[in-house]
Amino acid sequence: IGSIDDVQAMLAELGISDPLPKFDAASVTTNPIDIFRSYVAEEMSKITGVNRELLYPALEWTQNMEKGDLILAVPRLRIKGDPKALAAEWVKQFPENKYVLPPVAANQFIQFFFNPTLLAQLTIPSILSKAGKYGANHSGAGKKALIEFSSVNIAKPFHAGHLRSTIIGAFLSNVYEFCDWEVVRMNYLGDWGKQFGLLAVEYEASGSEEKLNEDPIQHLFDIYVKANNRVKEEEAQVKDGVALEGESMNDKARAYFKKMEDGDPKALELWERFRELSIVKCEKVYGRLNIKFDIYSGESQVSPDTMAMASKIMEEKGISEDSEGAKIVDFPKHGYKKLGKAIIQKKDGTTLYLTRDIGAAIERHEKYQFDQMIYVVSTQQDLHLDQLFTILKLMGMDFVSKCVHVNFGLVHGMKTRTGEVVFLDSILDEVGEAMHEVMKKNQDKYQQVENPDEVADTIGKSAIMIQDMTGKRINNYPFDIKRMTSFEGDTGPYLQYAHARLCSILRKANIPMPLIHTADLTLITEPQAILLLRTLAQFPDVITNTLKTLEPTTIVNYLFKMTQLLSSSYEVVKVVGSEENVARARMALFESARTVLSNAMKLLGLTPVER
Ligand code: ARG
C-alpha cells in the first residue's frame, strides 16, 4: 500500500469504485483512518458548504469509542444558526455509503462510526503488510532533528534527572526516526568547569591509576566526594579563624581550571583521560538500554573562538554589560522581567555553563543545519534554557525558533540499597533483581522461561521506563520499585505480559502466516473484537499526535487502553477451538494487535519479550 493508486485498487476490490477524494492533509497510504476521513470530509463539505480543506482537520479522533471514530464539533465550522439544529439537519442529508454508518447527531456534535467490516478490510492488511512500520508517517522526510539528551556530568553522581532525560530523549529520537526524520542523538557531557580543577588537584594528591582504569566512574566520583569534603573542612577552618597551610583547595582548583581554559597541554592531558574513560563506561551502560549516541559532545567542546564571537555580538548589540569586572545580561532591561540577571563571563575571564550553551547552540546550527533542535532537560533548568533562548533571540539568531526545550519533573527517592546512585548501572541491576524475585513467585511460568536472568533484566528495564513515561512529563513521581515491578496495573511488566500472551496465542494456534494474511475479515463480528480493531486503527493518529505533544504518555496511555481491551476480548474472541476460518480471522486481528503493541513498545525503548 505504497501509493494512492494502491489504496484506490484496494477499495475497488472491496466494491468501492468512486475515486477517493484527495486532501492535502490526508495520508491515506500510512493511515487507514484518513481514507474514511477523506470520504466524510468531502460529503460534509458538500452538505455544509464549508471549504473542504477546512473541514478535513475538523474531523477529530475520539478518546472514547462510544462517541464514534470521528467527531465533528459543529461550532468549529463557524456557521450561523443553532449548532444543535444544524447537526440534526445535516445528519439527515448524509448519503448512504459503504464507509460509515448513518451519522449520529449528539447535541452540537456529529458522531461518525466506521463500517466495521470495511475498517477490518482496510486496517488489518495494512498492519500486517507494514508490520514494523505500521503507525509511521513520512512527516520528517528530508528534515533533520538534533536531539540532545542524557547529558550526564563526568565525576558527578548520575541523578534521576539524567535517567528521565535518557528515557524521554531516546523515546523522542525513536519517534522522529520512525517518521523519517534524520536524527542526531547527542550527549552533551558536563565535562568542563571549575569542578575539573578540583578533581585534578585531588587526583594528583590521592588518586589511583589502578582504580581509575578499573572503574573510572566510581573512582572519579570518590575523588569528587573527597575533594568536596576537603573544601568543606577548609571552609569550616576559615570560619573558626584557623589559618590554612598554603593555598586553599578552591584556589588551587580555580588556578587549575584557568590553566585548562588557557589550553595548557599538561592540565588538559589528565582531564582528557578522565573524559575518555568515562565515555567508554557510559557507552556500555547506554547499550543496556539499546541507546547509542551519534555524538558525545560536551561543554568542553565549545570553541573559545565561538564564545568570543558571541561575546562580541552581545556587547555590540548592547545585550551584555560590565558589572564589577564580570559580564552580565540584565534581562529586565531588555523587557524580560522574569529572567533576572545572568553572568556570562567571570571576573577572571572564565566561561560559565550559560556561556558554553550559547556557543554550543551556534556551533550546532552551523555544523548540523538542523530543522529542529530539542533539549531534553529537567524543569529545574527552565530558567536556564529560557535565558539561553532569549539571548540567542536578542542576538538575532533566527534558528532559535527551531529550538525546543522538552522538560520534565522530578523523581523522588531514587536510591539504591547502598544509598548513593553513582551511575545508571546500579539502578538497572537493582530493579532487574527485584523483577527476578517477582517472576519466581509464579513457578509455573517461571519454569518456561529459558533465560530468566536476561528476561528479568529486560522486564526490569521496562518497569523503570514505563513508570517514568506513564504520567505527563511535567509531573513528579516517586521511584517505587514494588509498584513498577508488578504485573498488575499500568506497569511495564503488564505490557510485557500482554505481548508474551499474544505470542503464546500465536504459538498455540499454530496457523501458518500466509493463511493469517489471507483470512476472511468479514468474520470479525464480536463487539469486543470490533472495539479492539477500532483502537488499532487509531495508532497512526496516536503517532501524529505524539509528534505534537512530545509526550510519551500519549503512547503509553493508548497502550494501556488497547491492552485492557485485549484482555477483556480473550474470553469471547477465542482462536484455539474455533472453526478454522473464524480462527484465521481472529488470529489476524490478534497478530495486528501484537504488531501495534510491539511497534509502540519499541518506540518507547522497550524490548518486547516472547515468553
Ligand atoms: N549536564 C547538565 C546537568 O547535568 C545538563 C545539560 C543540559 N543541556 C544543556 N545544553 N544545558 O545538569
Side-chain angles (χ1 to χ4, degrees):
I1 318 164
S3 72
I4 298 187
D5 287 345
D6 293 340
V7 173
Q8 201 69 65
M10 206 163 149
L11 286 170
E13 243 173 75
L14 299 171
I16 299 176
S17 49
D18 286 346
L20 189 66
K22 288 193 174 68
F23 287 87
D24 292 344
S27 177
V28 295
T29 55
T30 58
N31 187 352
I33 283 188
D34 280 359
I35 300 175
F36 293 85
R37 226 184 230 128
S38 299
Y39 172 77
V40 173
E42 185 73 11
E43 292 306 322
M44 284 310 292
S45 165
K46 282 189 216 153
I47 293 171
T48 62
V50 172
N51 174 298
R52 51 201 298 286
E53 295 287 349
L54 289 179
L55 218 147
Y56 188 88
L59 290 168
E60 292 182 83
W61 60 302
T62 60
Q63 294 282 357
N64 180 348
M65 303 257 96
E66 281 161 28
K67 296 199 173 134
D69 294 295
L70 291 175
I71 193 160
L72 178 68
V74 173
R76 210 181 135 156
L77 302 181
R78 300 178 189 283
I79 285 192
K80 279 210 190 87
D82 171 25
K84 247 166 124 171
L86 287 172
E89 178 52 34
W90 288 340
V91 297
K92 275 189 253 156
Q93 293 177 32
F94 203 86
E96 210 177 291
N97 69 91
K98 289 192 170 142
Y99 290 96
V100 290
L101 309 178
V104 180
N107 266 319
Q108 43 192 351
F109 294 96
I110 301 181
Q111 304 170 340
F112 297 91
F113 292 81
F114 299 152
N115 166 356
T117 310
L118 185 69
L119 184 66
Q121 289 166 324
L122 290 177
T123 305
I124 292 178
S126 173
I127 300 177
L128 296 179
S129 67
K130 288 189 192 297
K133 286 299 274 176
Y134 176 69
N137 58 59
H138 307 303
S139 58
K143 290 196 274 187
K144 190 190 281 183
L146 195 160
I147 306 187
E148 186 224 288
F149 63 102
S150 201
S151 301
V152 290
N153 301 323
I154 292 179
K156 276 204 207 167
F158 180 91
H159 55 70
H162 298 123
L163 176 73
R164 297 210 70 185
S165 175
T166 308
I167 293 174
I168 296 167
F171 161 75
L172 291 176
S173 306
N174 293 341
V175 174
Y176 272 67
E177 223 158 49
F178 194 53
C179 296
D180 285 356
W181 284 78
E182 180 189 341
V183 176
V184 180
R185 292 167 169 83
M186 177 184 278
N187 199 328
Y188 180 70
L189 299 172
D191 59 358
W192 203 244
K194 202 195 87 190
Q195 79 263 24
F196 284 92
L198 204 61
L199 201 67
V201 171
E202 183 62 46
Y203 182 80
E204 283 177 346
S206 72
S208 142
E209 181 70 32
E210 206 186 310
K211 282 189 188 153
L212 182 67
N213 286 326
E214 219 170 83
D215 190 349
I217 287 179
Q218 182 66 48
H219 188 54
L220 289 177
F221 177 68
D222 292 343
I223 298 266
Y224 171 81
V225 172
K226 243 190 193 169
N228 278 294
N229 285 339
R230 228 189 264 254
V231 169
K232 270 188 222 136
E233 273 165 34
E234 285 181 356
E235 279 169 358
Q237 242 177 305
V238 170
K239 220 175 131 204
D240 294 343
V242 183
L244 295 178
E245 278 171 48
E247 233 186 331
S248 77
M249 211 38 202
N250 256 332
D251 285 341
K252 282 189 220 161
R254 215 170 286 132
Y256 198 103
F257 180 54
K258 178 88 175 101
K259 276 198 275 177
M260 286 168 61
E261 286 236 306
D262 292 343
D264 175 343
K266 257 210 82 199
L268 287 174
E269 202 182 275
L270 188 59
W271 162 83
E272 183 76 36
R273 274 199 63 212
F274 290 169
R275 183 177 197 270
E276 260 158 30
L277 288 169
S278 300
I279 291 179
V280 171
K281 169 85 192 211
C282 280
E283 282 185 315
K284 270 194 211 137
V285 183
Y286 290 129
R288 280 180 77 177
L289 293 172
N290 303 321
I291 297 170
K292 213 170 150 7
F293 284 94
D294 299 299
I295 292 155
Y296 283 87
S297 156
E299 293 177 41
S300 69
Q301 306 298 299
V302 185
S303 133
D305 291 346
T306 311
M307 289 188 281
M309 183 269 284
S311 170
K312 205 168 145 237
I313 297 179
M314 284 191 270
E315 217 168 303
E316 283 170 3
K317 295 205 168 186
I319 302 164
S320 64
E321 60 193 80
D322 284 336
S323 170
E324 296 169 38
K327 282 191 187 140
I328 65 158
V329 176
D330 189 344
F331 289 98
K333 278 191 191 164
H334 303 281
Y336 298 90
K337 291 208 174 59
K338 289 184 189 142
L339 299 187
K341 288 181 188 170
I343 307 178
I344 48 166
Q345 195 179 70
K346 284 198 207 166
K347 261 190 287 198
D348 63 2
T350 52
T351 61
L352 293 103
Y353 182 48
L354 180 59
T355 332
R356 296 190 280 273
D357 255 328
I358 297 168
I362 295 170
E363 287 179 357
R364 289 179 197 176
H365 182 252
E366 268 167 18
K367 185 159 178 199
Y368 300 102
Q369 299 287 326
F370 51 75
D371 297 280
Q372 202 176 102
M373 169 155 69
I374 301 181
Y375 292 84
V376 189
V377 185
S378 122
T379 48
Q380 287 171 309
Q381 297 192 28
D382 280 358
L383 178 63
H384 171 78
L385 283 143
D386 211 349
Q387 290 178 337
L388 170 64
F389 291 178
T390 304
I391 288 176
L392 292 171
K393 197 160 116 196
L394 290 170
M395 288 172 77
M397 300 284 169
D398 291 338
F399 71 79
V400 70
S401 62
K402 299 174 180 169
C403 299
V404 187
H405 175 202
V406 168
N407 60 1
F408 51 81
L410 304 171
V411 188
H412 298 296
M414 191 179 86
K415 287 200 197 83
T416 60
R417 268 177 300 231
T418 50
E420 199 66 65
V421 179
V422 176
F423 206 64
L424 185 52
D425 239 3
S426 41
I427 307 164
L428 300 183
D429 286 344
E430 188 151 325
V431 175
E433 281 160 29
M435 200 67 242
H436 203 157
E437 294 308 313
V438 176
M439 282 161 60
K440 278 182 194 159
K441 287 190 185 135
N442 187 333
Q443 273 299 323
D444 253 13
K445 291 208 171 108
Y446 184 74
Q447 297 303 337
Q448 295 173 37
V449 179
E450 259 171 54
N451 38 356
D453 277 313
E454 204 184 305
V455 172
D457 194 63
T458 304
I459 305 184
K461 287 182 284 192
S462 310
I464 298 173
M465 290 182 168
I466 292 299
Q467 160 163 279
D468 193 274
M469 297 191 278
T470 298
K472 280 209 166 159
R473 285 188 269 108
I474 198 83
N475 295 344
N476 304 336
Y477 71 84
F479 198 78
D480 183 345
I481 295 195
K482 193 160 183 274
R483 203 185 113 60
M484 74 171 99
T485 54
S486 167
F487 278 99
E488 277 149 37
D490 293 349
T491 66
Y494 175 74
L495 293 181
Q496 287 286 12
Y497 164 76
H499 186 266
R501 180 153 183 191
L502 286 167
C503 291
S504 146
I505 295 175
L506 191 63
R507 283 192 299 266
K508 284 195 191 122
N510 199 19
I511 304 170
M513 236 349 131
L515 295 186
I516 294 176
H517 279 239
T518 52
D520 174 2
L521 301 171
T522 61
L523 297 172
I524 295 175
T525 52
E526 302 66 30
Q528 283 90 341
I530 290 167
L531 221 47
L532 177 60
L533 168 70
R534 290 166 63 201
T535 309
L536 299 178
Q538 288 184 331
F539 188 53
D541 270 358
V542 171
I543 297 296
T544 306
N545 198 25
T546 303
L547 287 170
K548 288 190 197 129
T549 63
L550 303 183
E551 289 278 2
T553 187
T554 305
I555 291 183
V556 173
N557 245 325
Y558 164 80
L559 275 190
F560 285 133
K561 209 168 68 183
M562 194 275 270
T563 47
Q564 270 146 26
L565 280 175
L566 251 181
S567 68
S568 59
S569 65
Y570 290 134
E571 272 302 302
V572 194
V573 192
K574 289 209 156 75
V575 178
V576 180
S578 293
E579 186 273 323
E580 201 188 312
N581 287 312
V582 174
R584 278 168 56 186
R586 290 177 175 178
M587 199 60 242
L589 176 68
F590 286 132
E591 176 56 11
S592 299
R594 194 200 61 73
T595 304
V596 169
L597 182 55
S598 163
N599 291 1
M601 286 170 82
K602 285 178 186 161
L603 289 176
L604 294 166
L606 277 50
T607 307
V609 299
E610 295 188 359
R611 282 173 207 268

